[in-house]
Amino acid sequence: QVQLVESGGGLVQPGGSLRLSCAASSRIIRPNIMGWYRQAPGKQRELVAAITNGGSTSYAASVKDRFTISGDNAKNTVYLQMSYLKPEDTAVYYCNLQNKYVNYWGQGTQVTVSS
């Protein structure tokens, strides 16, 4: 039973930055992929960024060059550095873990970009 806990959300003005963290409660079985998804009210949940245990990354076109996903295997933690934030980035952001056995979701953290 792995628990994922997101943190780092909040209110920020357009153009600002936030760093989200997702901490897993225990070491994660490999191979695996962790990702950040987001969901705005009335919208489908969408993949924002993903990273494999080997370090390969991918990004949604809407956030490429603004967001950076990274991981720290020793800490069982994945991060999402968000810069040049736009109002369109406002959503609940969820951490996701997938491997051969499970598909886990965190509880979500709210990100609001507004002036």
Side-chain angles (χ1 to χ4, degrees):
Q1 298 294 123
V2 176
Q3 294 180 332
L4 304 176
V5 180
E6 302 101 327
S7 62
L11 174 65
V12 64
Q13 292 187 339
S17 299
L18 286 173
R19 188 180 75 158
L20 306 183
S21 298
C22 174
S25 61
S26 61
R27 303 199 73 84
I28 304 166
I29 298 172
R30 299 183 296 171
N32 64 71
I33 182 168
M34 296 188 72
W36 286 97
Y37 290 72
R38 67 186 181 187
Q39 187 168 25
K43 299 289 195 295
Q44 295 270 1
R45 189 171 297 186
E46 63 175 342
L47 177 64
V48 175
I51 185 168
T52 70
N53 60 276
S56 298
T57 60
S58 62
Y59 299 90
S62 60
V63 307
K64 189 174 178 62
D65 300 323
R66 298 189 298 120
F67 293 8
T68 301
I69 189 169
S70 61
D72 186 336
N73 287 331
K75 296 181 178 180
N76 299 316
T77 301
V78 66
Y79 305 94
L80 184 67
Q81 177 66 49
M82 305 185 295
S83 299
Y84 305 103
L85 283 160
K86 304 175 180 179
E88 306 92 270
D89 296 318
T90 296
V92 177
Y93 284 70
Y94 297 90
C95 181
N96 173 258
L97 164 65
Q98 298 178 55
N99 62 28
K100 180 180 178 181
Y101 308 101
V102 300
N103 188 341
Y104 289 137
W105 293 92
Q107 82 286 352
T109 184
Q110 176 71 47
V111 172
T112 302
V113 184
S114 177
S115 59

